Amino acid sequence: MSALLDWLGNWPGAVLLQRSGTAYLFVNAAHILGIGLLLGAILPLDLRLAGVLRASALPLIGPVLIRTAACGFVLALTTGLWLFTVKPGEYLGNTAFLIKLGLLALALGNIALQHRGLKPALAGGGIGLKVRLLAALSAALWLCVLVAGRWIGFL
Ligand code: HEM
């Protein structure tokens, strides 16, 4: 394990961020952009599915919000892994980081469950209780990932 962490902490991308505050700044900003796109798209969609927002055009906005959230997730994931390699051993000893990864796994599992029942709702059909509950859970989980991510820097 320590050999793997050593390798991760010495790949050229990690060395670049360890030596250049400017490079770190841009990757961290890209991580925040990914988070912004992800939560900026997934929260309105979840609130609409949960029945909190009443906007009618779900078949119109749904696919756009899902694609935006997916792009945000890919950006947050790639930049997050890159940031992780700056000090992998330290992050694995950081409780907030471990909690964040756990919440991230739960949030992704919830997306897999939600997508199984989402098609009728996106086609303009009714929104069942299960979809509403999973949407409310999704909003709560992603907000927790956000807070856990910010908490990392405080530990
Ligand atoms: C995909 C959903 C994700 C969300 C919503 C998220 C959220 C956050 C937030 C809010 C921060 C604080 C940003 C700042 O104040 O500079 C952060 C930082 C960070 N995230 Fe993520 N993140 C995500 C994915 C990941 C992944 C997959 C990893 C790595 C496996 C990761 C690793 C990190 C690291 C290393 C930091 C810097 C912590 C520090 O030193 O302050 N993130 N994340």
Side-chain angles (χ1 to χ4, degrees):
M1 179 66 168
S2 66
L4 173 64
L5 294 182
D6 269 0
W7 181 84
L8 279 175
N10 290 296
W11 81 283
V15 174
L16 171 68
L17 297 196
Q18 288 154 1
R19 293 190 180 151
S20 163
T22 310
Y24 187 94
L25 161 73
F26 279 98
V27 176
N28 190 279
H31 194 58
I32 295 170
L33 174 62
I35 299 157
L37 287 172
L38 171 60
L39 274 90
I42 221 164
L43 289 181
L45 179 64
D46 285 338
L47 293 175
R48 173 66 187 86
L49 290 170
V52 178
L53 293 180
R54 297 236 166 255
S56 57
L58 188 57
L60 277 180
I61 56 167
V64 178
L65 291 176
I66 289 171
R67 246 175 264 126
T68 306
C71 292
F73 178 75
V74 170
L75 182 59
L77 184 67
T78 45
T79 53
L81 287 168
W82 193 351
L83 291 170
F84 170 72
T85 64
V86 172
K87 40 186 181 174
E90 215 175 293
Y91 283 125
L92 288 180
N94 183 309
T95 312
F97 181 76
L98 299 177
I99 290 173
K100 176 180 162 182
L101 288 189
L103 290 165
L104 207 48
L106 287 176
L108 292 175
N110 190 50
I111 287 180
L113 284 178
Q114 181 69 298
H115 273 260
R116 281 167 43 188
L118 205 50
K119 274 210 172 65
L122 290 179
I127 302 174
L129 180 62
K130 185 177 167 217
V131 170
R132 285 185 193 285
L133 291 175
L134 289 177
L137 179 61
S138 167
L141 282 170
W142 285 112
L143 287 172
C144 290
V145 175
L146 178 76
V147 173
R150 187 61 279 227
W151 185 24
I152 297 170
F154 289 80
L155 289 187

